[in-house]
Structure formats: structure tokens, C-alpha cells
Amino acid sequence: MRSVPVEYFQVRWSGKVTLTRLFWLDMLTIATALNLFFAFVSLLMMAKRVDWPWILAVHAVILPYNIFLVFSVWRHAHTRIWMKVVSAIWLVVVAVV
């Protein structure tokens, strides 16, 4: 029996989750909310004059998950080209903001 986190990543990587859930819910809704949260925490840390390496670490902690979601969208069998473009633009935006 696999653990829940392992199964979560495996079903997305293998394309066993619906593209609607992966693209709209997981990436554009949940991951965007997580990115906004970490960006807000980074801004609070800047206001408190925390050292830059810590601020960048908090801001970048979500980046591997973002990359995973984008590649999962690209690997899905039913992905349309516009979804690949939107997911690439989304990754750039959330990495910068």
C-alpha cells in the first residue's frame, strides 16, 4: 500500500487524474493560492527585515511543486497546446511574483 503523498504525485505524473482537475483545480486554483501565500509571507519577512537568503528560500520553497504540476500537464495525454502555453506562462509568473 502506498502512502497518500506518493499516490498524489504518482496519479498526476502518470496522467491518471483528469486534465480538468490537474489544470484548473490543482494548478490554476490551489497552486496559485499557495504561491500567493508564500509570496505574502516573503513580503512580511521583508517588512521585518529578515535576511535575504531566508526570504528567497521561503519564496522558492513552492517552486518544485510548480514545476511538477507544469510537467504533469504537459505529459497528460489530452493536453491541448493552449494549456501547455498557459501553464508555461503561469510558471514564469508565479516564479517571478
Side-chain angles (χ1 to χ4, degrees):
M1 182 175 214
R2 288 175 276 184
S3 66
V4 174
V6 171
E7 188 172 338
Y8 174 86
F9 288 103
Q10 187 175 19
V11 297
R12 279 150 184 78
W13 188 254
S14 63
K16 293 179 183 172
V17 69
T18 64
L19 184 59
T20 302
R21 177 178 177 92
L22 179 63
F23 183 77
W24 292 106
L25 182 65
D26 290 346
M27 190 181 77
L28 290 182
T29 305
I30 295 171
T32 300
L34 284 171
N35 280 287
L36 290 172
F37 171 76
F38 282 106
F40 179 71
V41 170
S42 297
L43 287 173
L44 287 176
M45 291 172 71
M46 285 174 59
K48 295 289 184 180
R49 303 215 184 264
V50 175
D51 292 336
W52 278 101
W54 291 107
I55 295 170
L56 293 175
V58 168
H59 186 69
V61 74
I62 195 77
L63 190 58
Y65 180 63
N66 293 338
I67 293 169
F68 166 77
L69 286 175
V70 169
F71 283 143
S72 294
V73 167
W74 289 358
R75 289 173 43 97
H76 200 282
H78 302 293
T79 302
R80 305 227 188 271
I81 189 69
W82 69 268
M83 290 178 163
K84 291 181 180 184
V85 172
V86 168
S87 64
I89 293 169
W90 175 84
L91 182 60
V92 170
V93 169
V94 297
V96 172
V97 175

